[in-house]
Amino acid sequence: MNHFFISLLAMFFFVSCSTPKSENLCDTENAKFIPNLLFRFLIKDKSYQCGYKLNSNPPACELNYEETHLDANWPAVKKEMESQFLLGSGPEESLIQYRPEAINAVISSSYPAFQGALNAPNGNVYIVPYYSPKILEVDPINKSFSIMGTFSESVERIGGALGPAGILYFAPHLVADFYAFDTNNKSLSILGNETMAGSAYNGAIYAPNGKIYYVPSTETSIRYYDTNTKTIGQVATPTSGGFSTGVLTPQGKIYFIPLVSTSMYILDTKDDSVTTHPYVFPGGSAYISGILTPNGRIYMIPHSVAEILYLDLATNEIVLAGSVPSPGSSMFNGAVLAPNGKIYPIPENYSNFISFDTKDHTIKTLFPRPAGSYRGGALGPDGEIYLAPHIANRFDLIQTGSLGRFCQSLRLSPYWNKL
């Protein structure tokens, strides 16, 4: 049907016998003005014309992942996520060993291997090295894997983020180099280097202004890599303490989750201004992860405290959401939001996998953690979570039982595709 209308409009456009009052196609009295707009609407041309953009509020799954974190697109993202949440869960969660190989045999290393996992536009999941000398690439469709890259067997980087054009940006930790990995041609490069403190950064965030912001650990400066100018810079206002990760909100702000710090720092990426939240956090390795949910909350997953907190972005209030059963130290490292509306904290030293339902704050113990530990994970196309093995010597995933699915635009979205 669309082909018929396109042909008709094209014929009308070129054969119109009306004499335009102006050769300016932005003149509404031009006979070609309406046919041109209709033609562009039918072919879903999203470029600007005459200061306006057609189809400016498309569904979330029609967006490129680089558009999902723009403020104007949040209503569509929120709507799509909530529609998947409503589908709920089917089968009980399970832990699946999806490959028989041992991790240490694959990477030829017995060190703690990985921390963090990221989705890429090519459909693959990339598991980020910790001590591993290699990046682990997993194809979630056929469960095959490849190894690539060359690193020294030290904690050169911790976590990172997917930036524009399929490039992964790794956060420097014990090195001065800022690494990037191009998932299109599987090439590793160094963007630059800076003189920094040891254990400098934990993770990164891709902001709407095109900058990759790095989360301070022992560093007091919030540094960034500007993907537009290809330069490394830093925010003027320093931080204090240390942070485990950052959470981007639709307002373009990054909330740094306090690990050692007793304050939550907030970076407004529109002008690089920095403020703090008045709530006093316990410090002492308290919180390890933060998850944005479509109801406008940031949930904070504990590392060595019992309390799960959330920040209500509408009221700026921090609220107790629940407590981890039988808490201990270094319990979790990373967390993933699934299409059933549940958050799955990734166990480091905690003896079990658990789920936290954002709908009613129910905490459920799922199954025992195998020997070893995990740090971070990435959501697959069928609602499964690919775990980043740290000391665990296995290829594992969590089958969440989600009946809904997040389309690729959401799985790659800078809101969630980071550590």
Side-chain angles (χ1 to χ4, degrees):
M1 183 65 73
N2 278 355
H3 293 297
F4 171 78
F5 282 112
I6 290 171
S7 301
L8 184 63
L9 286 170
M11 183 180 296
F12 183 83
F13 183 84
F14 290 110
V15 183
S16 173
C17 58
S18 300
T19 303
K21 295 186 178 182
S22 166
E23 289 304 315
N24 180 8
L25 284 178
C26 290
D27 185 345
T28 57
E29 295 187 2
N30 190 318
K32 298 177 182 178
F33 180 81
I34 296 299
N36 189 52
L37 287 180
L38 290 173
F39 180 77
R40 293 175 63 244
F41 178 78
L42 284 172
I43 65 172
K44 298 183 179 180
D45 182 351
K46 298 180 184 179
S47 62
Y48 282 90
Q49 176 179 306
C50 311
Y52 298 95
K53 190 177 183 182
L54 293 180
N55 198 26
S56 58
N57 294 297
C61 293
E62 291 185 11
L63 296 169
N64 185 288
Y65 78 89
E66 298 174 43
E67 301 173 305
T68 58
H69 63 335
L70 302 180
D71 187 12
N73 291 326
W74 175 247
V77 170
K78 172 183 168 69
K79 179 180 179 181
E80 174 62 22
M81 292 192 73
E82 289 179 335
S83 70
Q84 299 305 314
F85 285 2
L86 287 173
L87 298 176
S89 298
E92 290 289 315
E93 290 95 338
S94 59
L95 185 70
I96 296 174
Q97 188 172 357
Y98 62 93
R99 295 288 309 190
E101 295 86 352
I103 295 295
N104 61 6
V106 168
I107 63 174
S108 301
S109 172
S110 58
Y111 289 102
F114 300 98
Q115 181 160 342
L118 299 167
N119 277 295
N122 60 14
N124 293 335
V125 172
Y126 291 85
I127 302 180
V128 181
Y130 182 76
Y131 268 105
S132 171
K134 301 290 183 181
I135 300 168
L136 180 62
E137 177 191 60
V138 176
D139 184 333
I141 303 302
N142 58 30
K143 303 298 187 288
S144 62
F145 72 90
S146 303
I147 54 172
M148 54 200 61
T150 301
F151 296 100
S152 65
E153 293 179 293
S154 65
V155 192
E156 292 184 347
R157 74 264 98 220
I158 288 184
L162 171 65
I167 298 176
L168 307 180
Y169 294 87
F170 299 143
H173 194 67
L174 293 182
V175 291
D177 297 325
F178 288 75
Y179 283 95
F181 180 75
D182 191 330
T183 62
N184 301 292
N185 57 23
K186 314 296 174 66
S187 63
L188 186 67
S189 60
I190 295 176
L191 307 170
N193 53 69
E194 298 283 320
T195 301
M196 297 181 290
S199 305
Y201 294 97
N202 291 329
I205 302 291
Y206 168 32
N209 59 11
K211 294 177 180 177
I212 308 295
Y213 290 92
Y214 300 93
V215 179
S217 178
T218 57
E219 272 289 323
T220 58
S221 297
I222 302 171
R223 282 188 169 86
Y224 59 80
Y225 177 74
D226 191 326
T227 62
N228 298 307
T229 63
K230 314 300 182 188
T231 56
I232 297 171
Q234 65 183 57
V235 173
T237 305
T239 62
S240 178
F243 308 88
S244 55
T245 189
V247 179
L248 178 69
T249 68
Q251 295 74 36
K253 295 181 178 181
I254 296 174
Y255 290 75
F256 294 107
I257 304 302
L259 181 65
V260 177
S261 180
T262 57
S263 296
M264 174 184 279
Y265 281 74
I266 306 160
L267 171 69
D268 191 332
T269 64
K270 293 175 182 175
D271 57 10
D272 279 354
S273 61
V274 177
T275 57
T276 58
H277 194 281
Y279 187 90
V280 178
F281 287 82
S285 298
Y287 289 91
I288 196 64
S289 188
I291 296 287
L292 176 71
T293 52
N295 58 2
R297 294 175 177 175
I298 295 173
Y299 285 92
M300 286 164 269
I301 304 303
H303 188 57
S304 297
V305 295
E307 294 78 18
I308 299 173
L309 303 177
Y310 72 81
L311 168 65
D312 188 322
L313 294 172
T315 65
N316 206 37
E317 182 182 9
I318 290 181
V319 180
L320 175 64
S323 295
V324 177
S326 304
S329 62
S330 304
M331 293 183 292
F332 305 103
N333 202 310
V336 178
L337 178 64
N340 56 10
K342 296 179 182 179
I343 295 172
Y344 292 85
I346 308 304
E348 185 175 3
N349 285 338
Y350 197 71
S351 58
N352 295 303
F353 284 84
I354 66 171
S355 66
F356 175 83
D357 196 327
T358 61
K359 179 176 78 278
D360 56 13
H361 294 173
T362 300
I363 298 172
K364 182 180 178 182
T365 299
L366 303 178
F367 35 77
R369 168 181 57 83
S373 61
Y374 306 87
R375 289 188 176 184
L379 187 69
D382 293 322
E384 75 279 26
I385 298 170
Y386 290 84
L387 299 171
H390 188 63
I391 299 177
N393 201 20
R394 300 155 42 112
F395 286 83
D396 288 324
L397 63 81
I398 304 171
Q399 190 58 260
T400 66
S402 300
L403 296 178
R405 300 288 184 267
F406 287 158
C407 60
Q408 180 161 282
S409 297
L410 296 187
R411 286 187 288 107
L412 269 59
S413 174
Y415 290 128
W416 300 283
N417 193 30
K418 48 82 183 177
L419 180 72

